[in-house]
Amino acid sequence: MTPEDILPYELLERIRDRAAGYDRDNSFFHEDFRELADAGYLKLFVPESDGGRGLGLAEVAALQRRLAGAAPATALGVNMHLVWTGVARVLENMGDGSLSFVLKEAGEGEVFAFAISEAGNDSMLFDSGTVAARLPNGGYSFTGRKIFTSLSPVWTRLGTFGKDGTARGGAGELVFGFLDRQAAGHSTAGDWDTLGMRASQSNSTLLEGAVVPSERIFRKLPPGPNQDPLIFAVFACFETLLAAVYTGIAERAFELALEAVKRRTSAKYGGRSFAQDPDIRWKIADAAMALDSVQAQLAGLARDVDGGADHGGFWFAKLVGLKLRATETARAVVDTAIRVSGGASYFRGAELERLYRDVLAGIFHPSNDESAHNTVANAWLGPLER
């Protein structure tokens, strides 16, 4: 089965045609979501035995590149559901079935969202300002504010975490669980009015004593970095699938740039197209070489995750390096596309104008520039001396 079989041209064109309207209206991609769900797109990682496609990370990343080329915000929103189902798939491949229920429920139509990020918490998965209070029945109530909750209008299961400061003799414990949308104690802030990626509707989620029962608590970890398989699986899927979305944006911008330089003509060159301008040709070649590099890095690392490659202590350095390289390359390629396409791309409603705003979101996703460089430096040089 090819990407074209799962995301046929006709479906992509309908999604592309709606993208500008969602962006203009700052509205969620409801029609896209319905069509993608009907096509089985939300079940890409789900085993065939549970009604899914049974794909691996490399295949899903290729599909996300394709979807992002049509509608970046739609791809970014769907990404968060795919992260959780991908995490469950990676864990199963490692012999850990603790999230197998995620794949089963995704096969039944449940929609998973990602509520991890918190304003001011640059420790990400390794600490939390959200309070997780243990209940007598073994469940937990969660109180805090989570930012960037993509799929906020449609999720049915919210993967989140908080810290129980009373656990482990007062050292604290990070508690991970899935909140059911029908549970009380949570609300959507409705604060998503952003420069780009508007259709993702990644509103903040307010947790005000939201209860997760004991059977939906799936991990308890000490604060700080650790080698738990869950942490690896989240990094592997989150960083790789983010890289796929931004690579897809870059590929679409490059395609638009090629169309523009072939279409535009230059009086300086006797009415010939800008494709004959040596300076423009240099810019196009530079963008093409940058894309070649990140495409290979993305495909190769995704295959390594699927195949269980042994990168030892360098796994996290490779994953954050991929995310950073993909998002920075995408920004550079979009910028080049704007430059060579002329002033028409500066007007509202131009596809490149929207891509120029959408691609900027890449700098805000973890791991950011500073965190990624710190991770890579630690892998090669060891931690800073105290």
Side-chain angles (χ1 to χ4, degrees), residues 1 3 20 67 74 104 107 113 143 176 247 269 273 299 337 341 350 360 367 376 383:
M1 182 172 293
L67 180 57
T74 294
K104 182 177 184 301
T143 301
F176 294 78
T247 300
Y269 288 100
S273 79
S341 296
L360 186 63
S367 294
V376 175

Side-chain angles (χ1 to χ4, degrees), residues 138-216:
Y140 285 81
S141 69
F142 291 82
T143 301
R145 185 188 185 101
K146 301 293 186 177
I147 60 174
F148 300 133
T149 310
S150 299
L151 299 178
S152 60
V154 296
W155 64 261
T156 63
R157 303 284 189 267
L158 187 68
T160 191
F161 84 134
K163 184 162 71 174
D164 176 2
T166 68
R168 300 180 186 247
E173 185 170 64
L174 302 177
V175 181
F176 294 78
F178 283 103
L179 176 70
D180 192 290
R181 188 160 199 129
Q182 302 307 314
H186 68 89
S187 61
T188 298
D191 54 355
W192 191 251
D193 188 8
T194 51
L195 181 67
M197 292 295 190
R198 288 161 63 80
S200 71
Q201 287 301 293
S202 304
N203 291 284
S204 297
T205 299
L206 307 179
L207 302 174
E208 300 165 310
V211 174
V212 176
S214 58
E215 64 271 18
R216 307 298 285 188

Side-chain angles (χ1 to χ4, degrees), residues 18 113 154 185 253 268 332 346 356 379:
R18 291 189 287 253
V154 296
K268 184 172 66 173
Y346 190 61
Y356 192 73

Side-chain angles (χ1 to χ4, degrees), residues 265-344:
T265 58
S266 169
K268 184 172 66 173
Y269 288 100
R272 290 185 295 171
S273 79
F274 273 91
Q276 304 304 310
D277 184 324
D279 292 330
I280 297 294
R281 294 172 68 87
W282 188 92
K283 292 179 186 297
I284 290 291
D286 197 51
M289 289 186 285
L291 264 177
D292 279 345
S293 177
V294 77
Q295 287 165 339
Q297 186 180 6
L298 171 60
L301 201 57
R303 286 194 300 268
D304 282 356
V305 174
D306 287 334
D310 183 10
H311 290 302
F314 288 92
W315 255 120
F316 290 97
K318 288 181 177 293
L319 291 166
V320 301
L322 167 64
K323 182 269 172 181
L324 185 64
R325 181 63 58 213
T327 53
E328 292 300 316
T329 296
R331 290 178 64 209
V333 171
V334 172
D335 185 76
T336 295
I338 291 279
R339 290 174 185 272
V340 303
S341 296

Side-chain angles (χ1 to χ4, degrees), residues 245-255 291 326 329-330 333-334 359:
V245 168
Y246 287 92
T247 300
I249 295 174
E251 290 168 336
R252 177 57 177 169
F254 185 74
E255 179 182 325
L291 264 177
T329 296
V333 171
V334 172
V359 78

